[in-house]
Each structure stands twice: as structure tokens, then as C-alpha cells.
Amino acid sequence: MKPMQLIEIPKKIVDYVGGVTHISFPRQGHTSDVGILFSAQGTFILKRTKGKQYSSWLKKEATVLKCLSNSTLPVPRLYCFIEQPLDEQAWH
């Protein structure tokens, strides 16, 4: 999967993080595209999937993270989840 471009990131996410100064890309897997967003508000991890199957997996991951956020386990905080059914994409 090609790394995400700033212009592809949903406006809701860019607004939430307070604008993006730059993006770096860790080693990538095969089911999602991961970028590290740097902004005035801090550093955020952004994950994108393409395709119906991978997007449904990301939605399940978001649900699990949300459920675990109330536990005593150290899990990443999920700030936002966006589905784009027309493009078969999901973001969190």
C-alpha cells in the first residue's frame, strides 16, 4: 500500500490534531497504512485501511480499543474512527 498523503487524510482528523506539520512512516504491514502525525497538539498514530475486508478488521480493532479503554490494561487511546464506505476506507 502506498503511504498516505496529507491531502487524503479526512479533514475531521486533521482538525482534531490541530493541523499536521509532517508525517513519518514506520515499517509497513500488508493490511493497513500507518503514519505518525506530528502537530502542535502532539504526536498521533494514524491507521488507514482500504478494501471491505481490511476496513471491517479496523472497525473491530477500534471497537476493542474502545472497550479496553475502561480497563486497567495499558492500551492506546482511540481518538477518532472514520469510515468512508464509498472509498471502502477506514481511519483511526
Side-chain angles (χ1 to χ4, degrees), residues 22-57:
H22 68 282
I23 305 172
S24 70
F25 299 97
R27 188 171 170 189
Q28 301 292 306
H30 298 287
T31 62
S32 63
D33 190 12
V34 177
I36 303 171
L37 305 182
F38 298 91
S39 75
Q41 304 279 34
T43 304
F44 300 85
I45 305 299
L46 180 62
K47 195 171 193 180
R48 171 186 64 180
T49 56
K50 290 183 176 182
K52 193 173 185 176
Q53 180 181 18
Y54 297 140
S55 293
S56 72
W57 291 356

Side-chain angles (χ1 to χ4, degrees), residues 50-86:
K50 290 183 176 182
K52 193 173 185 176
Q53 180 181 18
Y54 297 140
S55 293
S56 72
W57 291 356
L58 192 66
K59 185 174 185 175
K60 287 179 186 177
E61 182 179 304
T63 301
V64 170
L65 284 174
K66 194 172 181 180
C67 290
L68 290 175
S69 69
N70 296 324
S71 74
T72 58
L73 297 172
V75 296
R77 180 175 169 198
L78 177 66
Y79 293 98
C80 181
F81 177 77
I82 296 174
E83 287 183 280
Q84 296 177 315
L86 296 177

